[in-house]
Amino acid sequence: MDIQSCVNIKKEWDIVGARQLGRDIARKIGFGTVDQARIATAISELARNIYLYAGTGKICFEPIEDMNQKGITIIAMDDGPGIKELSLVMEDGFSTSGGLGAGLPGVKRLMDDFNIFSEYGKGTEIKVVKWLR
Ligand SMILES: Nc1ncnc2c1ncn2[C@@H]1O[C@H](COP(=O)(O)OP(=O)(O)OP(=O)(O)O)[C@@H](O)[C@H]1O
Ligand SMILES: [Mg+2]
């Protein structure tokens, strides 16, 4: 189970599909139900942002199974408009859509590693990792 699997995000229902596949992979890696829920919530937020702001994109999952550590990598990518206010989006309450602006700060809190790459006009890639301990 060391191959990447991806879910295309095109319609709202795909958010649910991504969430379910991610939770399934997390459970197989050995995450408990609380961490499974955290991971599923993070996936929902990332997928919802793709759906809302980029229109389409994908969420990919990659189990990490080394000798001494296990975890899951989740990559959300799209070729949407990118994020203009990159320095502001990690602050609670920043939203360009009248949302709560809690999505990305929430994902960062739920996961262990968080990296965001976005070029305005080209797209966004957000890579997060949760380690099993
Ligand atoms: N994939 C993306 N492409 C373009 N812009 C994005 C993307 N994801 C997030 N953003 C921008 O970052 C802002 C902050 O995102 P975040 O998820 O934290 O809050 P929100 O979606 O506005 O509100 P909430 O998630 O709380 O409903 C968004 O308002 C949007 O402007
Ligand atoms: Mg959001």
Side-chain angles (χ1 to χ4, degrees), residues 11-26:
K11 45 190 184 350
E12 198 167 14
W13 188 248
D14 295 331
I15 299 168
V16 179
R19 182 186 171 98
Q20 274 167 1
L21 179 63
R23 184 194 279 266
D24 231 52
I25 292 170

Side-chain angles (χ1 to χ4, degrees), residues 45-46 48-54 78 80-85 88-91 93-106 116 118 123-126:
E45 291 298 333
L46 295 172
R48 182 162 297 282
N49 281 353
I50 289 175
Y51 177 73
L52 285 177
Y53 307 116
D78 66 66
I83 301 176
K84 194 178 178 186
E85 307 84 351
L88 297 177
V89 292
M90 297 317 297
E91 286 175 23
F94 178 84
S95 175
T96 57
S97 68
L100 289 179
L104 292 176
I116 181 163
S118 186
T124 302
E125 185 176 313
I126 298 174

